[in-house]
Amino acid sequence: MTDGTGGPPGNFSDILGDFSAQADAMVKAANEGRFAVSPEMGEAYKAALNDYLDSWGSNKGQFFQLTQAPELGTGPYAITVGKHATLVADGDEQSAQTQLEALQRVVTRAVEAIETAKANFNKIEHENESTIKTFDRTDSNK
């Protein structure tokens, strides 16, 4: 946020919104059969995305510590800085924790789209195989 109430500088939500829109487009294309990926490539994509999900999952508990006001002292400035630090971590919809949780949901949707895209690939491969067999039968009857 740019108003100093918490969150990273700039508007990370705009960036995250782009990621979210792309994940939604992947899901839609996969569900409509317009997105297909080989099982091998799908697994590679999923591994990269799951690395993020695993990392966030294992670090989320530790992130809670950042939501606690740091012990900087008892002076007015130290208290103000401590409050600001907690807002950055978990103060509003722009805070780091909120944005990371939103990114986790986007990544999860992308993983689901890849699973559907792998199924689409297998379906297309099966259809292509059937078409080729039909051609082979037609050629052998000549």
Side-chain angles (χ1 to χ4, degrees):
M1 286 185 79
T2 56
D3 64 4
T5 59
N11 193 346
F12 187 71
S13 286
D14 289 343
I15 297 167
L16 186 59
D18 291 343
F19 291 149
S20 183
Q22 290 173 11
D24 289 343
M26 284 175 60
V27 170
K28 182 179 180 187
N31 287 339
E32 292 174 353
R34 298 181 293 115
F35 173 40
V37 64
S38 71
E40 297 82 10
M41 189 55 83
E43 287 304 312
Y45 287 142
K46 280 180 37 186
L49 294 171
N50 282 326
D51 281 348
Y52 168 78
L53 293 174
D54 293 343
S55 175
W56 173 240
S58 64
N59 292 315
K60 189 174 180 179
Q62 294 176 358
F63 199 89
F64 177 75
Q65 294 173 339
L66 297 176
T67 66
Q68 307 303 304
E71 296 178 15
L72 301 174
T74 58
Y77 182 74
I79 292 171
T80 300
V81 170
K83 286 180 182 178
H84 178 73
T86 60
L87 288 175
V88 169
D90 190 25
D92 58 21
E93 72 280 350
Q94 298 297 316
S95 67
Q97 183 163 344
T98 304
Q99 294 298 304
L100 289 170
E101 287 172 347
L103 182 56
Q104 180 184 25
R105 290 188 296 273
V106 169
V107 170
T108 299
R109 288 197 319 270
V111 169
E112 292 167 0
I114 290 169
E115 277 300 317
T116 303
K118 284 174 35 183
N120 290 343
F121 181 87
N122 290 334
K123 180 180 174 190
I124 291 168
E125 284 291 299
H126 180 71
E127 289 170 358
N128 289 343
E129 186 178 296
S130 296
T131 301
I132 289 171
K133 285 180 182 178
T134 302
F135 290 143
D136 285 345
R137 281 188 223 125
T138 305
D139 287 343
S140 65
N141 289 335
K142 288 184 180 182

